[in-house]
Amino acid sequence: MMTVTQLNSRAYRLPTLTLVGICLLQLISHYTHSPLWLIVFVCCICIFKLLTASYASRKLPSFVRYVVVLGSSAFFLLYYRSNFTVDMAASFLVLASSLKLLELRHKKDVVLFTYVMLYLSAISFLFVQSFLHAILQLILILSCLYVLLYLNVGPMLS
């Protein structure tokens, strides 16, 4: 199994940066139904991940991660209360996947994150069905497939 040191090493830096890009592109495709606080929160998580991508030892302490997860979940529940809609479910998946971005430690975490991003691509077609949106989703799907290929083949592609 790959550890966080291997994921953040020079050979695996490209998938980490690609995953942050995929997360930001998913945020763009879900901006029409996501609340503003969620967009800002996901952008902050992506910026933090970009800043710490090259430092394997710089990760959030577990206490801080628990506070971020519990705080964002509580804020999410207070924002939506009992309004259970498709918008709420898609926004929750965007929130959960961005929090998973903070937890990337092993190869299986990256694979799970990539599969969630593929699922979010499918969900985005519930809200927007334009040609440009389809091109954006094609780019996202190809990027996700690239990450999966890169994780399984390794640095031979670079």
Side-chain angles (χ1 to χ4, degrees):
M1 284 200 133
M2 280 190 261
T3 62
V4 70
T5 308
Q6 292 170 333
L7 281 175
N8 289 330
S9 69
R10 187 167 183 241
Y12 286 98
R13 187 172 302 139
L14 185 59
T16 303
L17 296 177
T18 306
L19 286 173
V20 171
I22 290 170
C23 188
L24 288 173
L25 287 175
Q26 279 295 0
L27 189 62
I28 290 171
S29 68
H30 287 274
Y31 81 94
T32 58
H33 59 274
S34 297
L36 181 63
W37 70 267
L38 181 62
I39 294 170
V40 171
F41 182 75
V42 172
C43 286
C44 290
I45 286 178
C46 289
I47 289 170
F48 176 78
K49 189 67 176 177
L50 280 175
L51 291 175
T52 61
S54 59
Y55 303 108
S57 62
R58 295 234 11 204
K59 56 184 177 181
L60 285 175
S62 57
F63 172 75
V64 175
R65 280 183 286 161
Y66 291 140
V67 169
V68 168
V69 168
L70 291 176
S72 62
S73 299
F75 195 78
F76 184 85
L77 289 174
L78 288 174
Y79 182 81
Y80 281 105
R81 290 190 179 92
S82 63
N83 187 14
F84 297 113
T85 62
V86 177
D87 295 343
M88 186 267 318
S91 296
F92 182 74
L93 198 54
V94 169
L95 174 67
S97 63
S98 66
L99 290 172
K100 185 66 178 169
L101 190 61
L102 292 175
E103 294 286 326
L104 297 180
R105 286 202 177 92
H106 302 287
K107 181 180 174 182
K108 64 180 181 177
D109 295 333
V110 177
V111 170
L112 177 71
F113 180 80
T114 306
Y115 287 152
V116 170
M117 289 294 135
L118 288 170
Y119 187 69
L120 273 172
S121 290
I123 289 174
S124 70
F125 283 109
L126 294 173
F127 305 105
V128 181
Q129 293 90 23
S130 70
F131 181 72
L132 290 175
H133 183 75
I135 291 175
L136 173 66
Q137 293 309 313
L138 179 66
I139 292 169
L140 280 165
I141 289 169
L142 290 176
S143 299
C144 288
L145 293 175
Y146 171 73
V147 168
L148 291 174
L149 180 69
Y150 192 85
L151 287 175
N152 288 311
V153 174
M156 293 187 322
L157 293 177
S158 54

